[in-house]
Amino acid sequence: MEAATAPEAALGPTLKVKEASPADADGPRASPRRGAGSPLPQLLPPIEEHPKIWLPRALRQTYVRKVGDTVNLLIPFQGKPKPQAIWTRDGCALDTSRVSVRNGERDSILFIREAQRADSGRYQLSVRLGGLEATATIDILVIERPGPPQSIKLVDVWGSSATLEWTPPQDMGNAALLGYTVQKADTKSGLWFSVLERYHRTSCTVSNLIVGNSYAFRVFAENQCGLSEDAPVTADLAHIQKAATVYKTEGFAQRDFSEAPKFTQPLADCTTVIGYDTQLFCCVRASPKPKIIWLKNKMDIQGNPKYRALTHLGICSLEIRKPGPFDGGIYTCKAVNPLGEASVDCRVDVKAPN
């Protein structure tokens, strides 16, 4: 007679039934020929609750931990009377020097104080009760940071770009690489800036470098645990040279600004009072700069302390200091340069005060 198979345990674990004999089903019976001194048979208690394992949802996929982390897995199960819980790893018994197991009435705990990469593997929990057995499998992966990339070198520099190449790290950290992080630093500041993150190839081109600067580059490897602790730096610097610029000058005709004197503002006739200073103004344009000569009644008055002559930016002025009755007359301003001369006149009347 074959025992009935129990339903498969919920949430993934499996339930196995061993082939049972009539003796297993009905329990040991006393033989009619048993002697008076034979021991009494021991009956097995009836199974009130089939064994079943309740595997937490987080453990249905690979359970990932970092090197040095604690592994503390609590797996609930059922079975009555109390079933036997047994842990194995990859089909072999656990190393009790590294892994601790505590079995309770309704759960089993697997504990590793400081996980190492060697603790990775497929762990299986078996819950047995009589001829029935439920099993659950947990994949544990212990990872750490990858090693640094190898053999980074500067391949080429042109314009404002530089090309780099490197080889993958020798140690991936027991996990798949997520990519590489490429950084640059100019020699002036010495600060590192990331230009590429989670880049999957082993060669790249860094663009938009500043003309006139020199750059060093380094590359980190990255996996689920983080960036590698070290990063190789390029032995050579990328010098971004300024492009040689050739300026071509176009010939042009030099403009001749030479001009004979010409008065743009003439002198104005005026009437003044005896004893009151009077000023005369006119404007002249000429190139080269002309010589200014002041005349009174066609007589040169240069150097006479009674008069003060000034010329600034083509504006010519003559100050008559405290004019007297004999200071009236025709005043002339003459401008002379190598290209010619020009003159303007005005009448000045001096009256007695009322």
Side-chain angles (χ1 to χ4, degrees):
M1 177 177 176
E2 196 174 50
T5 303
E8 187 173 298
L11 304 181
T14 59
L15 177 65
K16 299 179 181 179
V17 180
K18 295 182 179 179
E19 184 176 348
S21 64
D24 294 332
D26 301 332
R29 299 180 179 179
S31 172
R33 297 184 181 181
R34 183 175 59 246
S38 300
L40 294 175
Q42 185 176 1
L43 298 177
L44 295 175
I47 298 177
E48 300 180 16
E49 191 176 52
H50 290 177
K52 184 185 296 185
I53 299 175
W54 303 97
L55 188 63
R57 184 180 298 272
L59 300 180
R60 297 178 197 173
Q61 299 178 348
T62 301
Y63 183 68
V64 180
R65 304 296 288 170
K66 297 179 182 179
V67 170
D69 288 352
T70 298
V71 176
N72 189 9
L73 305 181
L74 186 148
I75 312 298
F77 60 78
Q78 72 176 29
K80 192 173 182 182
K82 178 182 176 181
Q84 181 184 18
I86 300 174
W87 283 90
T88 58
R89 174 191 163 191
D90 298 329
C92 302
L94 297 180
D95 182 2
T96 56
S97 64
R98 295 203 44 78
V99 184
S100 300
V101 173
R102 184 193 68 79
N103 294 323
E105 294 288 338
R106 290 289 178 176
D107 56 47
S108 179
I109 297 177
L110 177 75
F111 180 78
I112 304 175
R113 185 175 299 279
E114 293 183 359
Q116 301 297 325
R117 288 170 57 172
D119 295 323
S120 302
R122 172 162 290 186
Y123 291 75
Q124 187 176 64
L125 171 63
S126 297
V127 177
R128 301 171 183 174
L129 182 57
L132 303 177
E133 179 181 14
T135 62
T137 301
I138 304 170
D139 291 321
I140 298 179
L141 180 63
V142 182
I143 64 174
E144 61 182 342
R145 294 185 181 186
Q150 304 293 312
S151 306
I152 181 172
K153 62 180 179 179
L154 180 66
V155 178
D156 192 13
V157 178
W158 77 97
S160 59
S161 302
T163 300
L164 309 173
E165 286 185 356
W166 61 90
T167 56
Q170 296 179 352
D171 183 7
M172 301 296 184
N174 207 27
L177 285 184
L178 298 178
Y180 300 95
T181 295
V182 181
Q183 295 184 342
K184 68 177 180 180
D186 64 86
T187 54
K188 293 181 180 179
S189 66
L191 301 177
W192 291 97
F193 297 93
S194 296
V195 294
L196 294 171
E197 294 182 348
R198 294 200 172 180
Y199 183 77
H200 295 285
R201 299 183 180 178
T202 56
S203 64
C204 71
T205 298
V206 181
S207 304
N208 300 323
L209 301 176
I210 298 177
V211 174
N213 284 1
S214 297
Y215 291 88
F217 301 92
R218 66 183 183 182
V219 179
F220 290 89
E222 182 180 4
N223 65 6
Q224 188 176 349
C225 199
L227 296 177
S228 57
E229 295 183 359
D230 299 322
V233 181
T234 52
D236 301 324
L237 295 177
H239 303 285
I240 310 303
Q241 303 291 344
K242 295 182 180 179
T245 305
V246 178
Y247 295 96
K248 183 179 180 181
T249 58
E250 297 182 0
F252 62 94
Q254 179 108 16
R255 183 175 177 182
D256 187 6
F257 292 96
S258 299
E259 183 181 6
K262 178 181 178 181
F263 282 92
T264 58
Q265 181 68 36
L267 292 172
D269 295 342
C270 68
T271 300
T272 185
V273 180
I274 294 175
Y276 288 88
D277 294 348
T278 301
Q279 288 186 333
L280 306 177
F281 293 96
C282 62
C283 296
V284 67
R285 184 177 67 200
S287 181
K289 183 178 179 181
K291 179 181 179 182
I292 304 300
I293 302 173
W294 286 93
L295 305 171
K296 176 191 174 187
N297 298 329
K298 299 185 179 181
M299 299 294 293
D300 190 349
I301 59 176
Q302 303 283 57
N304 189 333
K306 190 173 184 63
Y307 305 97
R308 185 174 69 169
L310 297 174
T311 303
H312 181 67
L313 298 178
I315 301 175
C316 305
S317 64
L318 178 68
E319 181 181 0
I320 305 173
R321 296 175 177 176
K322 296 182 180 180
F326 302 101
D327 290 326
I330 303 298
Y331 285 82
T332 302
C333 180
K334 181 186 291 187
V336 181
N337 75 359
L339 298 179
E341 64 179 50
S343 63
V344 289
D345 301 327
C346 72
R347 174 180 290 277
V348 177
D349 295 327
V350 181
K351 294 183 179 182
N354 294 334

